[in-house]
Amino acid sequence: MKGLLLKDFYTIWKGGRIFLILYVFMAAVSGVNIQNGWSYMGFWLVMMDSQTSSTFSYDHSCNWNRFAMTMPVTRKDVVRSKFLLQLLIVCGSTLAYLVLAALVSLVLRTFEVKAFCNMLFAAWLVLWVVLLMGSVSTLLLF
């Protein structure tokens, strides 16, 4: 399972470095405008979840399924690794987003506790919506 996760992380890192700039920019923009920053967070999480879906197309172009049949991994392990990858990416990116937005708003002195608490609540809701949406799309891709 660890090897399957590493394969997917390397795939995302190799193909998604340009998106990292976009993600940092979006967190900075929401930190500047912490009152309405939760809308940027929705975009951020959907884009991060789409990185999980992009691993399917890479696997298909490399004939990964044919190669995976020769390895000592079961189909269940492959499915579990995709869902675990999605969970790790979405939860990790939510945490990274909140930290970056808070740091930018602290540096610019626009931080408000009430606005940040609203952003935390919105993060909780958006996290579950994105996980549900990503789980359904992952099932459809399998």
Side-chain angles (χ1 to χ4, degrees), residues 10-11 98 106 122:
Y10 290 144
T11 302
L98 290 171
L106 283 172

Side-chain angles (χ1 to χ4, degrees), residues 60-80:
H60 180 71
S61 68
C62 294
N63 294 324
W64 166 252
N65 290 334
R66 188 181 304 168
F67 179 69
M69 293 300 189
T70 64
M71 298 179 68
V73 292
T74 63
R75 182 102 170 130
K76 275 185 178 180
D77 292 337
V78 174
V79 172
R80 281 186 199 144

Side-chain angles (χ1 to χ4, degrees), residues 41-110:
M41 181 179 41
F43 172 76
W44 168 293
L45 289 178
V46 168
M47 290 298 291
M48 290 302 288
D49 188 52
S50 71
Q51 293 298 317
T52 305
S53 302
S54 70
T55 60
F56 283 101
S57 63
Y58 184 77
D59 289 349
H60 180 71
S61 68
C62 294
N63 294 324
W64 166 252
N65 290 334
R66 188 181 304 168
F67 179 69
M69 293 300 189
T70 64
M71 298 179 68
V73 292
T74 63
R75 182 102 170 130
K76 275 185 178 180
D77 292 337
V78 174
V79 172
R80 281 186 199 144
S81 73
K82 292 293 184 181
F83 280 111
L84 186 59
L85 175 74
Q86 178 195 14
L87 183 68
L88 290 174
I89 285 178
V90 171
C91 290
S93 62
T94 302
L95 183 63
Y97 182 87
L98 290 171
V99 168
L100 283 172
L103 285 176
V104 169
S105 65
L106 283 172
V107 167
L108 297 177
R109 295 191 171 108
T110 60

